[in-house]
Amino acid sequence: MAGTGQVVLLVLIGLFLGFSFTTWMRTKLQICPVVEEPVTPKPPPMFENLPPDKRLLFVGIMTARKFLNTRALTVYQTWAQTMPGKLAFFSSYDSVSDYDIPVVALPRVTDDYPPQKKSFMMLKFMYDNYIDKFEWFMRADDDVYVKAEKMEAFLRSINSSKPLFMGQSGMGKKEELGQLGIASDENFCMGGPGMIFSRETLRRMAPHIQHCVSHLYSFHEDVEIGRCVRQFANISCTWTYEMLHILYHNTSSKQDEIKSYTGELYTPDVLGATTLHPFKVTPQMLRSHAFFDALKTRDLRYNTLKLMREIRDMDILLNNKETIDDRLSFHPEFNKYPASSKEDTLSWDFISRSIFSDTNANPKRGLETPLKQILEDIRMQLMSSANEVSRERGRIIDFKEILYGYHRHNPLHSSDWILDILMIYKKYRGRKMTVPVRKHVYLQQVFSDIEFLEEVSESEPTDDSEGGQQNLFKILQDNVGLNAYPGGLFGESEPSQEMQHNKVIHFVLPLSGRFPTFRRFMLTFEKMCLMTDEAVKLVVVLFRHNKEDATDETLELIASLRSKYPNYDFSLVQAKGPFSRALALEMGARQVSNDALLFFVDVDMYFNQAFLKRVRLNTLQGKQVYFPIVFSQFDPETVYGDAILSQPHNYLDITEHTGYWRQFGFGIACMYNSDLRTVGGFDLSIIGWGKEDVDLYTKIVNSNLTIFRTADPGIVHVYHAIDCDENLEPAQLTMCSGTRASTYGSVPKLAEIIYASENLLHPTTTTVQSGTLKEKITSKQALRAV
């Protein structure tokens, strides 16, 4: 026991001595602290000598220091540039932005929440510095978007000399009723979408702000501002239902605020609003700003169109022989451009619950999403036009449904519509009535002229004679005209030497059997790559085929090319087990470096050098992958009939009768190996043919990579008979069967074959003969093919 007591005593003495020594060190030793350089906020903007068009509205935007370089900057770069007035960002006392934007650092104000003091001090600053410079004052958040033109039209229609306090009126959440210190007949303007004060309102309220700050009854700054306005300006927030749509708040759910305005923007709520709130994600505000700019551009084009028509009408009335004969100056009419031949005649598609078309491979199909969006756009414009004077006439017209319609599309001139619409006519003034109304609507959307804008660096010569790059419009005129593929896009104009040679394209080719087809592919590869000194490498992943194994022949062919072209890299990987395209492509990709440019190709492909240039141009590491839309050949026996033996092998003969664009094929792809790894690579559980390309495409869609997809005339899927293994999974078998059916021939050609046989639709099995073309098909299969 005595020993234990001594140990405890020693421990206590040690603690005492340690504490004493530490205290002495702190007092005797002078440690130099790290002194941060003080940040001096810029002086607030005073806005002197403003022109009349900039004296309507001042917007004070509440923000925080951490948002000055993101949200605040985005606001200043977008809608702030067109405001009929000025704005400033109000933040804490130490706020400084890295960019040249108007910031007011409020003294003795922090960014702490709730921001009652910041909000009131902002209004006080407006009153002290701007009260005689603007007619209206607005308090807004940094996540609100203001449509400047609509806001100007709205405010100029109201008398600013009267005391007015406008916004979305609120009384608090259901669980807060009775706890905010407001009576049942009182309200406040909700802060999110914005509060608007007339000059007289701010003049009455602002001198009493200190009293309002000292008598707060809740944590909600918009509630307290409403209370202060009501007490000293003797007015309340506007009790107007329209303000819900003028100052629009997207959602009150915190979980959904991140998703606000990420979907469709062409909706009545978004189009009709003057302010939109909230934009919690900065890129969404940029996206919305671009959308509204596009709408303005559309309206300006339409106004230009109307002016051109009026000029032509006046020239005709004045008998002016120099009248405008531009196609855009003609009034809408379905027979403006009569067909010069039967082939030029445009057919109409019939629209009801489905769409019926004689030019589509599927003559009866559901309404596609783009068509639904167009019809919704038409509906919104029609109803807006029909109800433009509804208040004056004491009636309103509601849309019910489109019963049926017709549509045709002329890519050179216009898109035409004939619609039978059911509407409900409601009269609420005088003799009240509600009756259904059917109306035929004739619409024509006229296309304006093509405009070309080409940005050329000042350091680069632009004169062709000096060896500079050609003007894009000149390329279009000289090489392909306006109705074909532009040379600049499809590789006809020469790219730079760096673009042409520096990027090595790594071909990854899965193979199982099919040696004659592989030999044809290697002839193409030799002609387009090896003989022209292209920067390429080839990786062949070979599976043994149970029926037509040609491993020895394949090895011999590759060996001969190695000896003939020793400077090129040919790799052969022999895989075991059943054929799997996903496994083959994954194995091939792992043979090259992480920065390699991959080209996933099939043995049935034919390509040219222009396509290889576009692979390099359209594939950007870490940013963009290229999924070309491949042209797939129809069965040559169906296309050429008796003349099949005399037809030359022109694989790039691209017409609607020789093949089709494989819109839903994703097997041919170009990407960097690092991007393939980023999205997770191929699903190796997929065995056999198909489905692995859709899986990879879906992964890329869900990633941050951009997909560049376009019809590419430089790569063609050469026809071959498709044999679908019945042991495939149902989804793969369906995809294979669909692909096989699409290769039979064009719809007109198949219809011609069917109509040539009188007995085809009646017997179970029929022999169809078209010249030397003989094929045993059942009537059901023939109809399904068409």
Side-chain angles (χ1 to χ4, degrees), residues 501-714:
H501 291 292
N502 285 1
K503 294 182 180 179
V504 178
I505 301 176
H506 296 76
F507 285 63
V508 180
L509 175 66
L511 183 64
S512 179
R514 305 189 62 193
F515 178 73
T517 306
F518 176 66
R519 183 169 50 199
R520 184 190 64 207
F521 175 85
M522 293 307 295
L523 288 174
T524 302
F525 185 80
E526 182 180 12
K527 177 181 177 182
M528 299 299 173
C529 300
L530 305 182
M531 297 173 64
T532 57
D533 199 26
E534 280 282 351
V536 296
K537 293 184 179 180
L538 176 64
V539 180
V540 179
V541 182
L542 180 63
F543 284 81
R544 287 190 176 274
H545 196 281
N546 294 332
K547 297 181 180 178
E548 48 177 296
D549 182 53
T551 303
D552 295 338
E553 293 88 340
T554 303
L555 294 174
E556 184 180 345
L557 178 58
I558 293 178
S560 66
L561 287 174
R562 278 176 178 163
S563 61
K564 189 175 181 180
Y565 301 96
N567 294 328
Y568 275 90
D569 187 0
F570 300 92
S571 299
L572 179 66
V573 180
Q574 297 194 49
K576 297 180 180 180
F579 176 75
S580 169
R581 190 173 187 270
L583 177 61
L585 296 178
E586 186 70 28
M587 291 177 65
R590 292 181 180 179
Q591 302 300 312
V592 298
S593 69
N594 206 40
D595 294 328
L597 173 56
L598 302 175
F599 170 34
F600 297 133
V601 64
D602 285 337
V603 73
D604 307 295
M605 294 297 160
Y606 177 88
F607 59 90
N608 59 16
Q609 285 184 281
F611 168 73
L612 299 179
K613 296 175 186 178
R614 290 190 287 275
V615 170
R616 298 184 176 101
L617 177 67
N618 297 328
T619 313
L620 306 176
Q621 188 172 12
K623 297 180 180 180
Q624 181 172 285
V625 300
Y626 182 38
F627 278 85
I629 300 177
V630 176
F631 185 80
S632 187
Q633 288 184 337
F634 289 136
D635 185 349
E637 191 175 356
T638 306
V639 174
Y640 301 111
D642 291 339
I644 185 172
L645 297 178
S646 62
Q647 289 295 322
H649 288 286
N650 182 11
Y651 296 117
L652 297 181
D653 181 18
I654 298 177
T655 69
E656 61 180 332
H657 301 296
T658 58
Y660 67 99
W661 294 104
R662 196 174 275 190
Q663 299 281 354
F664 300 103
F666 309 102
I668 308 303
C670 310
M671 66 192 70
Y672 279 86
N673 203 2
S674 57
D675 295 332
L676 178 66
R677 301 289 149 239
T678 299
V679 300
F682 288 93
D683 184 355
L684 301 184
S685 65
I686 300 175
I687 304 299
W689 179 94
K691 198 176 177 182
E692 82 292 329
D693 53 345
V694 177
D695 177 77
L696 178 63
Y697 188 84
T698 303
K699 290 178 181 177
I700 297 175
V701 168
N702 295 329
S703 72
N704 292 324
L705 296 171
T706 298
I707 293 178
F708 184 78
R709 185 158 171 79
T710 186
D712 196 315

Side-chain angles (χ1 to χ4, degrees), residues 109-283:
V109 172
T110 66
D111 288 331
D112 295 336
Y113 192 88
Q116 288 103 326
K117 186 176 181 180
K118 182 187 291 185
S119 185
F120 276 111
M121 291 301 102
M122 179 178 71
L123 296 175
K124 180 74 165 54
F125 187 93
M126 292 182 190
Y127 172 75
D128 292 340
N129 296 278
Y130 308 138
I131 189 63
D132 294 322
K133 298 179 180 179
F134 301 95
E135 297 181 40
W136 296 92
F137 298 86
M138 180 177 179
R139 171 246 176 261
D141 288 341
D142 58 8
D143 57 353
V144 72
Y145 185 93
V146 180
K147 298 180 186 176
E149 293 180 359
K150 295 194 67 138
M151 179 62 76
E152 180 177 7
F154 173 65
L155 294 179
R156 292 198 185 281
S157 66
I158 307 171
N159 188 352
S160 62
S161 63
K162 295 182 178 180
L164 293 171
F165 182 39
M166 298 181 292
Q168 265 199 39
S169 60
M171 299 180 66
K173 297 179 181 178
K174 185 181 296 185
E175 59 269 18
E176 295 178 327
L177 293 179
Q179 302 177 17
L180 300 177
I182 58 177
S184 59
D185 59 342
E186 295 175 343
N187 69 352
F188 60 91
C189 287
M190 292 188 289
M195 307 176 189
I196 302 175
F197 306 78
S198 66
R199 179 189 293 166
E200 182 61 25
T201 300
L202 192 60
R203 194 189 303 275
R204 294 183 184 185
M205 167 211 175
H208 306 280
I209 280 180
Q210 191 59 48
H211 172 83
C212 297
V213 173
S214 302
H215 296 79
L216 300 175
Y217 295 89
S218 73
F219 291 105
H220 303 292
E221 51 95 12
D222 48 4
V223 174
E224 298 306 321
I225 290 177
R227 192 192 321 278
C228 194
V229 171
R230 186 169 55 253
Q231 184 176 357
F232 295 103
N234 200 28
I235 57 173
S236 296
C237 186
T238 48
W239 287 100
T240 307
Y241 175 75
E242 284 83 353
M243 295 305 294
L244 292 173
H245 302 284
I246 295 174
L247 306 179
Y248 180 67
H249 178 72
N250 181 271
T251 177
S252 60
S253 172
K254 293 292 183 182
Q255 184 178 0
D256 291 337
E257 282 184 348
I258 300 298
K259 300 180 181 179
S260 293
Y261 308 106
T262 58
E264 178 60 46
L265 294 175
Y266 203 94
T267 63
D269 288 333
V270 174
L271 295 179
T274 301
T275 69
L276 299 169
H277 177 267
F279 284 90
K280 297 298 183 184
V281 182
T282 297

